[in-house]
Amino acid sequence: MGNVRTRALDEFATHKAERFFVEKRPVSEYFGQNVFDREKMRRYLSAEAYQAVVDAVEKGEKIDRNIADQIASGMKSWAVQMGATHYTHWFHPLTDATAEKHESFLDPMKGGGVFENFKGSTLIQQEPDASSFPNGGLRNTFEARGYTAWDPGSPAFIIDQTLCIPTVFVAYTGESLDQKTPHLKSIQAVDRAATAICRMFDKNVQRVIPMLGIEQEYFLVDEAFYRARPDLMLCNRTLIGHTAAKDQQLEDHYFGAIPSRVMCFMKDFETEAYKLGVQLKTRHNEVAPNQFEYAPVYGEANLSADQNLMMMILMKKIAKKHRLKVIFHEKPFAGVNGSGKHCNWSLVTNTGVNLLSPGRTPRTNLQFLSFFVSVIRGVYEHHHLLMSSVVSLSNMYRLGGNEAPPAVMSIFVGATLTHLLESIEKLTSENLTSISDKEVKVRSKLHIVNQIPEILPDNTDRNRTSPFAFTGNRFEFRAVGSSCNVASSLFILNGVVAQQLVRFKKMVDENMEAGMSQDKAMMKVIRQFIVESKNILFEGNGYSAQWQQEAARRGLKGISSVPEAFDEYISPGSLKMFQEQEILTRREAEARHEVLNETYVKKLQIEARVLGDLTTNHVIPTALSFQNTIINNVKGIKELFPEEYKEMCSTQLNLIRKISGYVNRLHQDVHDMVEARKVANKIEDIGEKAAEYYKNIFPYMEKIRTIADKLEMVIDDELWPLPKYRELLFFR
Ligand code: ADP
Ligand code: MG
């Protein structure tokens, strides 16, 4: 029989690897086969309908309802031929998950029989009967209507014989209830502001598009162990569990050979990803045992964000086939590295110029500098908001840990650019334009050994401790958590950048009106932006304690409490930016603030409940059973050696006392935590409630865990009911 853990161990031991089909055809033969991409559109749509979609994507033009009928019909023909039976509007409510409600294509025919039907109106708009998504007061149940509307910028795709149509999700009043809407609006805001500046350099620029490459970190655990851990099942992280004697200290997992079972999962996942038109590029072991990463090739931000969510769904499905569980939580295991979702972000023009790539000519340098310093200036202005945008209950277990970016914003730019910015700062108004003549690119070849080809080092060295690092031709926002929808942070990044680009242009225009040449006018603003924002630049070790002090001295505001971070969404400065850039209205920002607090409270409440259950129903009973065994042992020895038993049983007697001590403390702490919840649950105001949860319930998570972990170390291994860290992290 055994306990849950030993049964899971048996299941693991007897599990025979299944033989999985491995796709051997060249990827190019099946790449994108499950996506209604341009190639399919050309085949299934009339020229007019095809052009309408292209114009919608490239010029933001609205699609006429008549044309929508044609598009829907073509889309349906393709989908039905691919075996799809259902369609769904696929949207991203404020939960970090995605939502779908499937409808069959079938319609009855007059006079009997059925046929597949899909109208333009159904493609364009749906009204999901879903009054129970988080909405922060934007939808009361009596006005529960919400609409999903087709986003032609992200092509429809087929998963599980269902045609999924990416959509935005808005309330009856038009207010956004999802992550995609503000992201799309922010992309437009950047486009407006950036294009205006680009056109000062090149009149052919019509559009500027934020580009995004997302590195996704994740853990894999065996399904049998996962099911034996209520905490993993309900909270996606281990709430208790002593660290294994060996975890990542030997640094032998990072980039190590990929375990064969995992490789099998990865291949299977990649094949399906390719069919969905996602160009996965890298895969490797991460630092922590059983931690891995993949990254696709970057693409337009809206599409990249959607594809990332698509991949998260796909990975979970494929893992099931391999009896694995994918864990996207930012810190599933204490003591080893957590997971992030690094967002590589840049701005590219429709003419193919990356605005964050240092140029080879003085002119392109000036353009590069304009954008580079505007990003820095924007991140500085809203550094607290930007950091707050990555805050969640789960990511806060990771941030500021010894391996993850600290919870205070700073920007790393590397030695070359630091030097350049410093030289610009020193310029006087007479020699302002002298520096824009110089080439930024300074690359010298590295000679290693004779037979090894020379290598070209990058302009920027790397700094893994920075939450926001410039990496040669893009910024890498590294603080973003592995489980979130990146749109929730990117709409803020885009917004703060757009705001500064608008300001940049306005100031340049003013300088030119005052008689300056365009180059000089720009250099003057560039210099001013550098002076204003240099406090955010930091090249040192972001993990160090000195940096925390230094950041405070520089007036950089870090995250000290989660609910306080959420308040930044509704600070006057943030609201001004959201409104000016037409990304969120005050009401939408307030709703988001409410949803963030609500989610925080609910998630922490669930964790606290599960921890109470684990302690009361797993840990304490196990401790008492073990204690009984020792008591019986002592009784037996006493019977045999009535004179000497105390001396003989000193270890056992100590252990009996020790266990009683731990059990009593656990019992008391769980009781106190429940009482603290009762107090907090009475609070009406959601912000105050979250603050109360943060202050008076959150600390119990660590307090209780510490004692439970101590018990794990003294109790007979045979009795311990929860799979241990060494099993969760090393069995593969
Ligand atoms: P790292 O070495 O930082 O781990 P990876 O190779 O894992 O890098 O991932 C880098 C990501 O950055 C990829 O998704 C890549 O396509 C993306 N990327 C590269 N250049 C750009 C760019 N100019 N803009 C946005 N993303 C980019
Ligand atoms: Mg990487």
Side-chain angles (χ1 to χ4, degrees), residues 215 254 282 284 286 293 295 342 464 476:
E215 299 165 56
Y254 191 54
T282 61
H284 61 82
E286 257 302 329
E293 179 189 300
H342 303 174
R464 295 237 164 242
E476 186 176 349

Side-chain angles (χ1 to χ4, degrees), residues 408 546-558:
V408 60
Q546 293 95 298
W547 167 235
Q548 297 299 318
Q549 292 158 11
E550 166 74 7
R553 202 184 53 71
R554 294 187 187 187
L556 297 175
K557 193 168 173 208

